[in-house]
């Protein structure tokens, strides 16, 4: 049984109740599901200027509504800060979170148990998989794709992205990380796979989307 996903309407997101100590809670929201006026009402002025990019506006609206609801604070009053690598966080809060988007879907992961990373990709996007694999995957990963087909490409790619986001680092610093042990474990029926202290879980947030959660 997979993880539960919470959604949102213009009235606010579902799933607003206290987090268990080791819980990672997930939300998903379609880009364009909410009118721009609804997004603008929650975003502070410095974020409203970027709201024309619907992925940004939808993600920040969802983030602010969820964090505000969980903390009992006004969503618009939350003041985000950023690490040197650009990862947002909420100072003086126990909550850790990560946002991701692809095509028409925004995902949010929130936890009080430590850092978290999440990435999603639309698998229907035309992509020169073989060329990208030669450029960004190590020999073992390329051999795995040759044996098992290109279907695992997006799972392997999102693993790298989710790990980089978990650690608050650039994707380039994680391209050398081999994802073969992770996808092998998933194929063997493991729900989660831990490599080098990081745990990875494959998610299916919507048909034709591939996502990975890392913590």
């Amino acid at each position: 049984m997979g993880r539960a996903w919470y959604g949102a309407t213009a009235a606010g997101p579902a799933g607003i109740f206290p987090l268990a100590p080791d819980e990672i809670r997930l939300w998903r929201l379609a880009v364009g599901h909410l009118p721009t006026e609804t997004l603008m009402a929650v975003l502070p002025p410095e974020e409203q200027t970027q709201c024309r990019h619907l992925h940004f506006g939808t993600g920040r609206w969802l983030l602010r509504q969820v964090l505000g609801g969980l903390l009992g604070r006004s969503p618009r009053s939350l003041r985000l800060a950023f690490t040197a690598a650009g990862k947002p966080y909420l100072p003086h809060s126990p909550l850790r979170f990560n946002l991701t988007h692809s095509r028409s879907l925004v995902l949010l992961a929130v936890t009080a148990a430590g850092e978290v990373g999440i990435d999603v990709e639309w698998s229907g996007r035309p992509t020169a998989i073989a060329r990208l694999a030669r450029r960004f995957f190590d020999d073992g990963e390329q051999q795995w794709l040759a044996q098992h087909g290109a279907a695992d490409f997006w799972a392997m790619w999102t693993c790298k992205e989710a790990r980089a986001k978990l650690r608050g680092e650039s994707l380039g610093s994680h391209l050398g990380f081999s994802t073969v042990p992770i996808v092998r474990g998933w194929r063997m029926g493991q729900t989660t796979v831990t490599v080098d202290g990081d745990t990875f879980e494959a998610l299916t947030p919507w048909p034709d989307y591939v996502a990975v959660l890392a913590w």
Side-chain angles (χ1 to χ4, degrees), residues 63-64 66-68 70-71 73-75 77-83 87-97 115:
L63 174 64
R64 288 182 171 279
V66 168
L67 295 183
L70 292 174
L71 294 169
R73 295 167 59 182
S74 165
S77 72
L78 299 176
R79 291 291 177 259
L80 300 176
F82 299 86
T83 67
K87 183 176 182 178
Y89 66 96
L90 190 61
H92 314 298
S93 168
L95 299 183
R96 298 293 180 266
F97 56 86
E115 294 298 337

Side-chain angles (χ1 to χ4, degrees), residues 33-50:
H33 177 69
L34 300 175
T36 302
E37 293 76 14
T38 298
L39 305 180
M40 296 282 279
V42 170
L43 302 185
E46 65 270 19
E47 293 181 1
Q48 289 182 10
T49 58
Q50 300 184 61

Side-chain angles (χ1 to χ4, degrees), residues 118-130:
I118 189 169
D119 187 62
V120 65
E121 298 289 348
W122 176 52
S123 61
R125 184 175 68 185
T127 303
I129 288 176

Side-chain angles (χ1 to χ4, degrees), residues 14-209:
I16 304 301
F17 53 92
L19 287 160
D22 60 349
E23 179 185 2
I24 302 175
R25 196 170 297 167
L26 303 174
W27 283 263
R28 63 186 174 192
L29 187 59
V31 176
H33 177 69
L34 300 175
T36 302
E37 293 76 14
T38 298
L39 305 180
M40 296 282 279
V42 170
L43 302 185
E46 65 270 19
E47 293 181 1
Q48 289 182 10
T49 58
Q50 300 184 61
C51 200
R52 64 183 182 277
H53 303 294
L54 279 180
H55 289 93
F56 176 89
T58 301
R60 286 298 174 88
W61 180 92
L62 180 61
L63 174 64
R64 288 182 171 279
Q65 289 281 42
V66 168
L67 295 183
L70 292 174
L71 294 169
R73 295 167 59 182
S74 165
R76 193 171 186 177
S77 72
L78 299 176
R79 291 291 177 259
L80 300 176
F82 299 86
T83 67
K87 183 176 182 178
Y89 66 96
L90 190 61
H92 314 298
S93 168
L95 299 183
R96 298 293 180 266
F97 56 86
N98 201 220
L99 274 167
T100 184
H101 65 80
S102 182
R103 203 187 188 210
S104 60
L105 191 63
V106 170
L107 305 182
L108 169 66
V110 179
T111 184
E115 294 298 337
V116 65
I118 189 169
D119 187 62
V120 65
E121 298 289 348
W122 176 52
S123 61
R125 184 175 68 185
T127 303
I129 288 176
R131 179 177 59 81
L132 286 176
R134 287 193 300 271
R135 182 177 180 184
F136 296 117
F137 285 8
D138 64 26
D139 291 343
E141 290 171 316
Q142 293 182 51
Q143 291 171 10
W144 178 272
L145 289 176
Q147 294 170 3
H148 297 278
D152 282 351
F153 173 82
W154 289 116
M156 298 166 82
W157 185 267
T158 50
C159 280
K160 293 178 186 286
E161 290 265 19
R163 186 175 191 254
K165 297 178 74 178
L166 165 67
R167 299 190 175 200
E169 299 169 351
S170 68
L171 174 61
S173 62
H174 293 266
L175 291 175
F177 169 70
S178 178
T179 58
V180 170
I182 303 171
V183 293
R184 179 188 293 121
W186 289 339
R187 280 184 171 267
M188 293 173 63
Q190 296 176 239
T191 303
T192 62
V193 178
T194 301
V195 177
D196 295 339
D198 299 329
T199 300
F200 300 83
E201 182 177 345
L203 307 173
T204 307
W206 206 255
D208 299 324
Y209 285 85

